[in-house]
Amino acid sequence: MDRAWHLPLWDDYQEGLKSNFADIRTSARRRRAITAACFLERFAKAYPWAHLDIAGTAWKSGVDKGATGRPVRCSQLPHAALA
């Protein structure tokens, strides 16, 4: 079983979405997974949702490069587990 936890979506993390050029910034230099979750939270309030930061486990590099399929099981969690 893959381990998962709720990302903190505290108000001070919302600062990462502020932009001088747009309504909402869509990229971040720090706390990228948390900033992405804060971004999703703004648009998915009426729905159960999850941000699965799978970039580190989704791909192999080197001779065995390619997709691992590793995050698939985690993406099939029952919706009740995401609430």
Side-chain angles (χ1 to χ4, degrees):
M1 176 64 100
D2 292 321
R3 294 182 177 187
W5 65 91
H6 288 268
L7 292 171
L9 299 176
W10 302 318
D11 290 340
D12 52 330
Y13 289 140
Q14 302 293 332
E15 295 289 318
L17 297 176
K18 288 188 176 179
S19 170
N20 293 332
F21 307 104
D23 293 335
I24 297 175
R25 183 182 194 157
T26 59
S27 64
R29 294 184 183 162
R30 299 180 349 193
R31 299 187 286 248
R32 290 178 286 208
I34 292 174
T35 303
C38 290
F39 181 87
L40 288 172
E41 179 187 40
R42 291 186 181 199
F43 296 100
K45 290 182 186 266
Y47 307 97
W49 63 274
H51 175 255
L52 304 177
D53 190 28
I54 61 169
T57 61
W59 300 97
K60 289 183 183 178
S61 59
V63 177
D64 296 327
K65 70 181 178 180
T68 64
R70 180 78 181 104
V72 173
R73 183 180 296 172
C74 187
S75 69
Q76 296 173 339
L77 288 172
H79 291 308
L82 302 176

